[in-house]
Amino acid sequence: MPNALPPLHCALKMMSRKKALLLLLLALSTLSLLIHQSAHLNWSPKPSSPGCPSAPSPHPKHTSVAFLKTHKTAGTTVQNILFRFAEQHNVTVALPHHACDHQFCYPRNFSARFVHPHTLPPRIIASHLRFQRQELHRLMPNDTLYVTILREPVAMFESLFTYYNQYCSAFKRVPNGSMEAFLANPLAFYRPQEKFSMYAHNTLLYDLGGDNDHSPTDPAYLPSFIHQMEEVFSLVMIAEYFDESLVLLRRLLSWDLEDVLYVKLNMRGPRSKGNVSSEALAARIRAWNGLDARLYDHFNATFWRKVAQAGRECVAEEVRALRRACDQLLRRCFGGRPQLRPATQIKNKELRPWQPSSKVDIVGYDLPPRCLKLAMPEVQYSRYMLRKQSLRTRRRAMPHRPLTPRGVPRPARALPLRHPAMPKAA
């Protein structure tokens, strides 16, 4: 027996060396994999220039946001950002009641009654509604930050005219669907009392709760309305400067860069876009939508003052970091630049965007499952969020039933005795 010990000792020593070598190789492989992945998935910006605040904010993330989603202004992309943030941070989103479809019974004035009970109490709201200050303040927490987005009225009106040409009667009346013919004499086609008339006249002002048919010659109305907006909204984003707007939004909410990554959603195909190359036509659009034009001009100037306060170079640097991070995300999800496809060519029905009519093509993306939410259209994402939050609400409402110890029979429930003279319950 003494002679057997040395060979056993050698064998154990050799095994320990092999094990150590195997562990070393495993560690090196893991390190190599992590380095490789970090090169593709690291979305953190480079260190900020001196004097610029760091992108990861030192403050807690703000989770109570009311986003007034205006029409044809890139609002669907902002909504998608907010929905994904809410999912990641387990924040409740106010969603419309079934009777309102995926909007809060627009074009009616918003009411808290339009909110689905399974999405109460909310901390984020981001679906289409017509702004009603008192109702939103009654619904949302006191620390809510209010944000909206505006778009240059010429580009916005062209988009509205094309997108809603089968819904807005003012547009449907126009011979051959000609925007030029409509703008030559708008009052020949426009009827203010019709249901979807707001798509044809000062739509931004209407969405924000204003009187879109108010006389533009009234010198007091618009300044008073703008003052009310400035009291409520902490940030008015500008669609033409979307990335700069996201930088200001991220800073306002103390979010991280990865919280505002995006792909563009709800875009029209090339054949569905009109042409407003004529300066005369653009001038007619601004004249017909004069209140919107002045509203946009005011908040565009306000926006750039906010950029100046934040530091133009700092904002520009963060915009570059945002674009790099979005490009990395797109490469990860698409393997390159995303290819826009007609809805009929998108295999996953959860990614097929809603088509307003046969004359308008809204294009979308085909994506692998890991990136599904990034490109999920508004209608499908709203329904998904409602199902998810309804399930969570029902689970909370289920009564807790203590488990009976195994092997011990639960005592039978005693039935109430009924007196012969006692009437039966109705």
Side-chain angles (χ1 to χ4, degrees):
M1 286 298 296
N3 295 334
L5 286 175
L8 178 61
H9 176 72
C10 292
L12 289 172
K13 193 172 182 179
M14 290 178 64
M15 286 177 64
S16 64
R17 286 178 179 173
K18 288 181 179 179
K19 187 176 180 180
L21 182 60
L22 181 62
L23 289 173
L24 179 61
L25 290 173
L26 183 61
L28 290 172
S29 300
T30 303
L31 180 62
S32 174
L33 179 62
L34 288 172
I35 292 171
H36 176 75
Q37 287 184 338
S38 67
H40 292 279
L41 303 181
N42 182 17
W43 299 330
S44 300
K46 296 178 180 178
S48 301
S49 299
C52 296
S54 58
S57 172
H59 305 291
K61 294 183 181 182
H62 198 88
T63 60
S64 188
V65 185
F67 173 62
L68 181 64
K69 185 176 187 286
T70 49
H71 284 82
K72 311 312 298 173
T73 58
T76 301
T77 303
V78 180
Q79 180 194 52
N80 180 275
I81 289 171
L82 292 170
F83 278 6
R84 285 186 284 119
F85 178 89
E87 274 203 274
Q88 184 178 354
H89 295 85
N90 198 31
V91 175
T92 301
V93 178
L95 294 167
H97 197 280
H98 289 306
C100 295
D101 199 17
H102 66 286
Q103 303 181 357
F104 288 105
C105 288
Y106 185 92
R108 295 165 63 185
N109 288 340
F110 175 76
S111 168
R113 296 182 293 106
F114 300 158
V115 180
H116 197 288
H118 289 171
T119 65
L120 296 172
R123 290 196 63 82
I124 289 178
I125 187 167
S127 299
H128 276 305
L129 57 87
R130 190 182 187 208
F131 186 68
Q132 217 292 331
R133 182 176 183 175
Q134 289 75 21
E135 286 292 300
L136 274 170
H137 283 191
R138 188 159 68 90
L139 172 72
M140 301 299 291
N142 292 333
D143 65 340
T144 300
L145 294 175
Y146 288 77
V147 178
T148 189
I149 186 167
L150 306 183
R151 184 180 180 187
E152 195 280 316
V154 174
M156 179 178 171
F157 186 79
E158 181 278 318
S159 183
L160 287 164
F161 190 90
T162 305
Y163 195 87
Y164 292 110
N165 61 21
Q166 297 302 302
Y167 289 87
C168 178
S169 297
F171 296 157
K172 291 172 70 175
R173 291 189 185 98
V174 182
N176 301 318
S178 167
M179 185 165 60
E180 290 83 353
F182 175 87
L183 291 166
N185 187 11
L187 293 178
F189 310 103
Y190 179 68
R191 309 283 189 275
Q193 71 279 6
E194 291 175 337
K195 183 177 180 181
F196 295 117
S197 64
M198 67 281 162
Y199 293 137
H201 194 210
N202 290 316
T203 309
L204 285 174
L205 196 76
Y206 184 89
D207 285 353
L208 291 162
D211 178 7
N212 60 319
D213 291 311
H214 197 92
S215 172
T217 60
D218 181 351
Y221 178 71
L222 196 62
S224 174
F225 183 82
I226 288 173
H227 177 70
Q228 294 173 34
M229 275 192 65
E230 290 177 331
E231 287 182 337
V232 176
F233 290 94
S234 300
L235 175 63
V236 177
M237 303 168 68
I238 299 295
E240 285 73 27
Y241 305 101
F242 192 71
D243 290 342
E244 290 84 352
S245 294
L246 287 182
V247 168
L248 295 187
L249 180 68
R250 186 202 70 75
R251 293 184 176 202
L252 174 69
L253 302 177
S254 299
W255 287 6
D256 297 330
L257 186 71
E258 56 263 30
D259 293 325
V260 295
L261 302 184
Y262 71 96
V263 296
K264 295 179 181 179
L265 298 175
N266 203 32
M267 293 187 294
R268 292 172 293 161
R271 79 175 185 91
S272 300
K273 294 182 180 180
N275 183 15
V276 192
S277 57
S278 163
E279 291 186 8
L281 187 62
R284 285 182 181 178
I285 292 175
R286 287 183 65 88
W288 171 241
N289 298 281
L291 294 174
D292 272 6
R294 289 161 58 195
L295 185 75
Y296 174 86
D297 289 345
H298 173 87
F299 282 104
N300 184 38
T302 301
F303 175 83
W304 287 106
R305 284 197 292 271
K306 286 183 179 291
V307 170
Q309 289 169 3
R312 286 181 177 269
E313 285 305 316
C314 294
V315 171
E317 180 181 301
E318 195 167 328
V319 164
R320 291 190 291 270
L322 173 64
R323 289 172 180 169
R324 285 195 302 267
C326 285
D327 286 342
Q328 289 178 7
L329 178 64
L330 294 177
R331 284 197 295 271
R332 175 186 171 225
C333 289
F334 295 94
R337 300 301 303 174
Q339 296 295 317
L340 288 166
R341 301 176 185 274
T344 53
Q345 295 181 14
I346 297 175
K347 298 175 183 178
N348 188 339
K349 65 180 181 180
E350 292 298 319
L351 293 175
R352 291 175 194 159
W354 179 72
Q355 305 296 304
S357 74
S358 59
K359 296 183 178 181
V360 181
D361 291 332
I362 304 300
V363 293
Y365 307 92
D366 252 337
L367 276 173
R370 69 176 181 273
C371 299
L372 188 70
K373 304 291 177 56
L374 187 68
M376 186 174 282
E378 174 184 5
V379 175
Q380 289 94 320
Y381 210 158
S382 298
R383 290 172 182 167
Y384 166 81
M385 292 287 284
L386 182 57
R387 288 195 303 268
K388 183 177 181 178
Q389 293 184 168
S390 295
L391 180 61
R392 185 171 64 194
T393 301
R394 286 195 293 268
R395 283 175 176 169
R396 287 174 181 169
M398 288 177 64
H400 176 66
R401 297 181 180 178
L403 297 175
T404 304
R406 186 172 296 179
V408 179
R410 185 183 294 276
R413 183 187 299 176
L415 297 176
L417 296 175
R418 185 182 297 277
H419 192 275
M422 185 184 295
K424 292 183 178 180

